[in-house]
Amino acid sequence: MHRERTHVLIGGGGVAALEAAIALEKLAGDLVEIELLSPAEYFSYRPLAVTLPFDAEAPVRFELSELARRVGASVTRGALTGIDAWRRQAHTSTNRDIDYDVLLVACGALPIPAVKGASTFCGPSDAELVRHVLDEIARGDVRSVAFVVPGGPTWPLPAYDLALLTGSYASAGAEVWLVTPEKEPLQLFGPPASAVVRELLAVRGVEVRTDVYATSFADGLLELSPDEPLHVDRVIALPRLAGAPIDGIPQTVDGFIPVDDHGRVHGVADVYAAGDITSFPVKHGGLATQQALAAAETIAASAGADVEPQPFRPIVHGLLLTGSEPRFLRRELHGTAETEPVVASEALWWPPAKIAGRHLGPFLAELTGGSEPHVEYPDDALAVRVPLEPDVVDRLQVGRAAVVDDPANEESGAVSSIEVCEVAPEDTLGEIAEQMLHEEVSAVLVCEYGSLIGVLTTKDLIAAFAARAHPSEARARQWMTAEPVTLDAEAGRGGAARLMRTYGIHHLPVVEHGDRPVGVLHLDEETPAVMAIGLGF
């Protein structure tokens, strides 16, 4: 019996998208039709951008259409802007709708400047700004430079690469600083790596400020919280990351998409996500390939391939450039338990590249003339499951930056209470709009089995209807803000207004026991004080 191939649309043209495309071709080549939707003409190997200011080589990039051809995929130009889950259609930035059987969202994250007044290093296009600072150091015009890891979602390793390479380049010609909110250098990779990295930084003459948040830079002062400011001539900061809005898909306040450990988007049929666009707290190309592989295996199995899908099991790899001998870092995590992290001068994976992808690594090594044979991962190499336990995430310092409560400043931004109005994730937008109108509220809490999973506001409803979402078809889960920012019922509310301004929200759910909603605070610029009426605690 002839079976029509499953049309898999992959939104994106980066690391996760390519890993998924290669994996799907290998696992289910005759069963799937793969289409990449990307606004980019080229695939750039971004991790090597840190080397560009220090040598004359051109950025490493490949024509996306040629890469797609090699894996039996097609490419359509455009960005994914939304979906109609009911009709299985993807909306694009070119005003073209694309039908799909399965959609994999792998469009990465957007870099957002994180330190006001500082230069931001996002990738190859910013190599020139670092090179300019190096020239200023060589001329003696600049005596100090700081490389900053911001708070919030980011990948810290490039800041360490740049600091070490600059320390090697500048020698005794300038002070080089590394500023980070981590409690220890590269804390993500564990105590052995932190000790080695701290020693490497000292050898290169790089001064370190840990456990601080850089907030702004002006007139030679880098403001740090909670420490005193740092006097420095130039500041180059990494960006924090955020997801682009995609209509019809649940996203967090930062734009990230919650998924399960097979990459499935909660509550939206046949839609998956992988890579930096997901709400997994660590943003890294190697982890993106692992997420993409988990999603690809599940998609291949649903298309009829003989494969047993394995869940996403994170192993963090890091190749640290030091100015001489690189260091290979590797760490596995399993809930509250940890295997021993590894730091070595010899390769811990093959190909020994910045991105250790099961399929993408060997694929790119072949394109660039890698002579070493592909070494298969051992069967037990991915022995870790997610989601990570909260205390593990806290130790990794990869969550949202905290907003310190200040009881003395309670009246600096006023909040008031509003009635709690709960809806179910599968309620239609039409039903919810009718309920909000009847109860005269501007936001509802989306709850599942008594637990808060999202917030839906009048602004979300307007966005949905502007995108032509049908009131009787579109569901709360698709348009809500998932994994919302919340305030614990036992916490003081002095900083509630500041918390809402930090994340650009006007409704702050108050919860107890982790996720049970008991009230909602509303940001009211005109209310003179904090009121706590009818919050239920």
Side-chain angles (χ1 to χ4, degrees):
M1 176 179 177
H2 174 71
R3 179 180 178 180
E4 186 176 351
R5 294 196 296 172
T6 298
H7 179 207
V8 181
L9 178 63
I10 301 177
V15 168
L18 287 175
E19 175 75 18
I22 300 169
L24 283 168
E25 192 275 333
K26 290 180 178 293
L27 297 171
D30 295 334
L31 299 172
V32 295
E33 177 186 347
I34 306 167
E35 180 180 2
L36 297 176
L37 173 65
S38 173
E41 184 179 355
Y42 295 94
F43 167 75
S44 296
Y45 198 76
R46 300 176 63 84
L48 288 181
V50 294
T51 67
L52 299 178
F54 304 92
D55 59 42
E57 294 185 9
V60 178
R61 66 178 192 173
F62 307 89
E63 285 192 10
L64 186 59
S65 59
E66 175 60 20
L67 297 183
R69 185 191 64 80
R70 288 174 175 265
V71 300
S74 62
V75 177
T76 298
R77 295 291 296 275
L80 179 67
T81 60
I83 68 168
D84 184 332
W86 184 269
R87 295 173 177 80
R88 281 183 166 78
Q89 285 186 333
H91 307 313
T92 74
S93 59
T94 60
N95 294 321
R96 175 186 174 187
D97 292 340
I98 302 176
D99 295 327
Y100 65 83
D101 296 318
V102 177
L103 172 66
L104 173 60
V105 183
C107 50
L110 302 174
I112 308 295
V115 181
K116 183 179 179 181
S119 300
T120 303
F121 183 85
C122 299
S125 61
D126 298 311
E128 189 58 38
L129 74 86
V130 180
R131 188 177 294 117
H132 178 68
V133 173
L134 296 177
D135 291 341
E136 289 182 310
I137 292 174
R139 295 195 304 267
D141 297 335
V142 165
R143 302 296 300 173
S144 56
V145 58
F147 295 94
V148 175
V149 178
T154 191
W155 174 240
L157 197 64
Y160 289 85
D161 288 330
L162 289 169
L164 287 166
L165 292 172
T166 301
S168 177
Y169 173 89
S171 188
E175 290 183 355
V176 181
W177 290 86
L178 190 287
V179 178
T180 177
E182 303 159 289
K183 293 186 181 299
E184 293 293 336
L186 283 184
Q187 181 181 357
L188 178 66
F189 291 96
S194 292
V196 169
V197 173
R198 188 177 284 277
E199 181 180 348
L200 285 169
L201 291 167
V203 169
R204 290 284 180 260
V206 179
E207 301 286 343
V208 183
R209 296 283 289 271
T210 58
D211 204 17
V212 293
Y213 289 88
T215 58
S216 63
F217 174 64
D219 300 324
L221 285 181
L222 176 61
E223 298 293 337
L224 302 177
S225 177
D227 283 5
E228 294 296 320
L230 176 66
H231 293 266
V232 66
D233 294 334
R234 298 287 184 270
V235 175
I236 298 174
L238 300 182
R240 69 176 180 86
L241 300 178
I246 303 174
D247 292 341
I249 293 180
Q251 294 178 271
T252 68
V253 68
D254 292 315
F256 301 123
I257 302 174
V259 296
D260 67 13
D261 56 5
H262 289 276
R264 290 176 290 230
V265 177
H266 299 297
V268 188
D270 297 316
V271 177
Y272 297 74
D276 288 352
I277 190 64
T278 71
S279 60
F280 188 73
V282 184
K283 308 300 180 184
H284 175 45
L287 292 174
T289 65
Q290 296 169 36
Q291 289 180 303
L293 180 58
E297 288 181 346
T298 305
I299 294 170
S302 67
D306 184 14
V307 57
E308 182 176 350
Q310 298 299 309
F312 168 49
R313 299 169 175 179
I315 299 178
V316 186
H317 302 83
L319 173 56
L320 179 64
L321 304 178
T322 68
S324 57
E325 187 179 58
R327 294 296 189 276
F328 294 85
L329 315 172
R330 184 178 186 271
R331 191 184 191 189
E332 303 180 19
L333 301 171
H334 180 220
T336 57
E338 303 177 21
T339 60
E340 285 297 319
V342 182
V343 54
S345 300
E346 297 181 351
L348 299 174
W349 59 88
W350 186 262
K354 278 279 192 178
I355 297 176
R358 173 74 64 88
H359 296 291
L360 184 60
F363 178 74
L364 294 178
E366 182 181 350
L367 290 179
T368 55
S371 58
E372 296 289 337
H374 171 44
V375 177
E376 294 292 341
Y377 286 78
D379 292 338
D380 61 351
L382 303 178
V384 194
R385 295 184 65 95
V386 291
L388 299 179
E389 297 297 330
D391 60 330
V392 175
V393 176
D394 289 342
R395 289 202 307 275
L396 297 181
Q397 295 289 298
V398 294
R400 295 185 176 115
V403 177
V404 180
D405 191 34
D406 182 8
N409 197 30
E410 281 196 359
E411 298 186 9
S412 62
V415 296
S416 57
S417 64
I418 62 175
E419 292 295 325
V420 178
C421 182
E422 297 184 10
V423 300
E426 303 311 319
D427 287 351
T428 67
L429 297 191
E431 293 170 334
I432 294 170
E434 184 177 358
Q435 182 176 348
M436 292 174 71
L437 182 64
H438 179 263
E439 301 191 22
E440 298 183 345
V441 295
S442 56
V444 294
L445 304 185
V446 185
C447 298
E448 192 170 44
Y449 306 115
S451 297
L452 177 69
I453 65 170
V455 174
L456 190 75
T457 68
T458 52
K459 182 179 178 180
D460 297 324
L461 291 178
I462 293 171
F465 297 143
R468 304 297 189 269
H470 198 285
S472 63
E473 296 174 355
R475 310 287 172 172
R477 192 191 298 268
Q478 297 171 251
W479 292 91
M480 69 184 185
T481 296
E483 298 180 359
V485 177
T486 61
L487 182 70
D488 190 271
E490 300 299 322
R493 294 189 299 280
R498 202 160 52 253
L499 184 67
M500 286 186 266
R501 288 195 182 95
T502 297
Y503 292 107
I505 57 178
H506 284 76
H507 301 86
L508 181 64
V510 182
V511 298
E512 63 180 12
H513 306 304
D515 57 8
R516 190 178 77 83
V518 294
V520 181
L521 295 176
H522 173 68
L523 183 63
D524 187 349
E525 301 287 355
E526 298 182 0
T527 303
V530 175
M531 298 186 294
I533 302 173
L535 289 179
F537 63 91

